[in-house]
Amino acid sequence: SQTIHQWPATLVQPVGSPLSLECTVEGTSNPNLYWYRQAAGRGLQLLFYSVGIGQISSEVPQNLSASRPQDRQFILSSKKLLLSDSGFYLCAWSVKIPGTYEQYFGPGTRLTVT
Amino acid sequence: AQTVTQSQPEMSVQEAETVTLSCTYDTSESDYYLFWYKQPPSRQMILVIRQEAYKQQNATENRFSVNFQKAAKSFSLKISDSQLGDAAMYFCAYRSFGGTYKYIFGTGTRLKVLA
């Protein structure tokens, strides 16, 4: 069965510090991968998605970046965090098989920028 | 661009009663998928139910069912026999049939279940 991991689960970082959040998927190959941010009491904002290694699409201009160095690994980064980067970050995956289109989510990372 | 709107920020229901959560969307596409996701206090997103736009029959999963009105671009979720464990944020989501694999989420409805 497929599983998705995210770490860390919780992170407190000062303004101006770098960020690296990691997401890995097990039990599937060549998945679509996604990064979302959920601000307090808000919906999900799609940040990045990837359909393959090295292929990243950015949805929102910001100081965040994403990379996909391996098929099942998706990394969210920042060189200098802003207070507005605080939130709950969710990684998700979906398969490319026609007729199967559900998106499956990881447990999330709660980021607090102080 | 597609949009998804959930106009009810919060809803309450008595245990064992029925509640309906509303969702409307805007799209020019004819083929697409719609979903309802549940986010309990643990914040783990859980797929509740899905609907293919080309299917006229409304999807049903146990106590959860949808009322899909394609012409009206409406996709409501009905929860029957509400249980305390149903208390959560519920998100409506849209995905195009093909193309970019992007999912668009509404802002969510917080459901409270009263004992």
Side-chain angles (χ1 to χ4, degrees):
Chain A
S1 63
Q2 299 88 3
T3 55
I4 178 170
H5 304 279
Q6 280 186 251
W7 63 90
T10 304
L11 191 60
V12 180
Q13 292 284 94
V15 169
S17 64
L19 172 73
S20 180
L21 303 181
E22 188 166 342
C23 170
T24 59
V25 181
E26 296 178 355
T28 188
S29 60
N30 195 27
N32 299 316
L33 296 172
Y34 308 81
W35 278 112
Y36 290 90
R37 177 169 59 201
Q38 186 178 21
R42 304 284 296 276
L44 274 69
Q45 179 186 36
L46 178 63
L47 302 175
F48 301 95
Y49 69 95
S50 172
V51 299
I53 296 174
Q55 301 178 62
I56 309 295
S57 295
S58 174
E59 288 298 300
V60 182
Q62 58 210 329
N63 70 320
L64 298 173
S65 63
S67 62
R68 185 171 177 174
Q70 300 181 42
D71 181 45
R72 292 169 291 174
Q73 183 185 32
F74 205 23
I75 298 172
L76 183 69
S77 304
S78 174
K79 293 182 179 178
K80 290 185 177 181
L81 283 168
L82 306 173
L83 285 175
S84 57
D85 291 324
S86 292
F88 190 65
Y89 288 81
L90 284 161
C91 181
W93 69 277
S94 68
V95 297
K96 298 188 180 74
I97 301 172
T100 59
Y101 35 78
E102 293 87 28
Q103 196 172 50
Y104 302 96
F105 288 84
T109 295
R110 182 181 301 278
L111 172 65
T112 303
V113 182
T114 60
Chain B
Q2 297 84 14
T3 59
V4 176
T5 302
Q6 293 180 250
S7 59
Q8 305 155 315
E10 189 171 294
M11 295 280 287
S12 295
V13 63
Q14 288 290 139
E15 198 175 3
E17 297 293 309
T18 296
V19 64
T20 299
L21 308 183
S22 300
C23 173
T24 59
Y25 58 94
D26 189 27
T27 184
S28 58
E29 300 173 331
S30 57
D31 288 326
Y32 47 87
Y33 308 112
L34 296 165
F35 309 87
W36 278 99
Y37 280 88
K38 170 184 177 181
Q39 187 180 42
S42 67
R43 305 202 74 171
Q44 175 72 55
M45 293 285 283
I46 303 166
L47 177 66
V48 175
I49 200 166
R50 63 179 180 270
Q51 174 80 43
E52 297 94 326
Y54 61 86
K55 291 186 178 179
Q56 293 185 337
Q57 185 175 5
N58 289 323
T60 299
E61 289 287 344
N62 300 314
R63 297 183 296 108
F64 299 87
S65 62
V66 298
N67 183 6
F68 173 49
Q69 302 289 329
K70 190 173 183 179
K73 297 179 183 176
S74 171
F75 182 60
S76 60
L77 175 69
K78 185 172 80 171
I79 306 174
S80 304
D81 186 25
S82 296
Q83 301 175 358
L84 294 177
D86 295 333
M89 283 288 287
Y90 286 83
F91 292 97
C92 179
Y94 170 102
R95 210 212 91 168
S96 297
F97 180 76
T100 61
Y101 307 101
K102 286 169 52 177
Y103 295 74
I104 300 168
F105 284 80
T107 53
T109 296
R110 181 173 301 282
L111 178 67
K112 295 183 177 181
V113 181
L114 309 174

